[in-house]
């Protein structure tokens, strides 16, 4: 599969996890990560596993070790804080670890293409 297609697929996954729906009357967006965090620990663990897939695919696309470490830190923070009842759900809606990770991946791939 071509790199652009793989990136597009990962973008769709990050969107589904972090920004798929909008809260009516606001600009706030949320995804399955925010919904799943309603089930403390179990929901966050499930979405962290899906986020792990995104990191694994990023490694296959050639992301640097530093980018992958940053991605893992984002997911770990999202999991740890997201597992706290109520506060975690609010954090998940605002933090958007997967969107952050896609920015890290794109930034790395852009730098790599320039050199």
């Amino acid at each position: 599969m071509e790199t652009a297609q793989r990136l597009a697929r990962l973008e769709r996954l990050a969107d589904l996890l972090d920004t798929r729906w909008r809260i009516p009357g606001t600009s706030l967006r949320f995804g399955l990560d925010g919904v799943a965090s309603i089930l403390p620990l179990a929901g966050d663990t499930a979405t962290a596993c899906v986020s792990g897939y995104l990191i694994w695919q990023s490694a296959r696309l050639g992301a640097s070790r530093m980018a992958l470490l940053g991605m893992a830190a984002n997911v770990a923070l999202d999991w740890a804080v997201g597992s706290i009842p109520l506060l975690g759900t609010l954090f998940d809606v605002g933090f958007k670890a997967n969107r952050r990770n896609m920015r890290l991946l794109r930034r790395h791939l852009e730098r790599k293409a320039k050199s």
Side-chain angles (χ1 to χ4, degrees):
M1 182 182 295
E2 185 181 318
T3 300
Q5 290 174 316
R6 291 166 75 185
L7 275 172
R9 190 178 69 211
L10 294 176
E11 287 284 358
R12 286 191 303 274
L13 178 59
D15 175 62
L16 178 64
L17 288 168
D18 290 343
T19 56
R20 178 66 179 97
W21 301 284
R22 186 178 55 82
I23 297 172
T26 72
S27 62
L28 295 175
R29 300 192 68 81
F30 67 98
L32 288 179
D33 191 30
V35 173
S37 72
I38 291 171
L39 298 171
L41 199 58
D44 289 291
T45 300
T47 56
C49 290
V50 178
S51 296
Y53 170 80
L54 194 147
I55 295 171
W56 177 63
Q57 288 297 314
S58 297
R60 292 186 66 207
L61 285 169
S64 70
R65 185 173 304 228
M66 289 304 295
L68 294 172
L69 285 172
M71 291 177 178
N74 284 337
V75 172
L77 179 63
D78 186 53
W79 177 83
V81 179
S83 294
I84 301 168
L86 187 59
L87 173 66
T89 301
L90 297 174
F91 179 80
D92 280 337
V93 170
F95 186 65
K96 300 180 186 353
N98 299 290
R99 299 294 337 144
R100 289 171 185 263
N101 287 348
M102 287 308 300
R103 281 193 300 274
L104 284 172
L105 176 59
R106 285 201 177 275
R107 195 175 311 134
H108 172 76
L109 293 176
E110 287 168 5
R111 279 190 224 130
K112 190 175 172 180
K114 288 180 183 176
S115 59

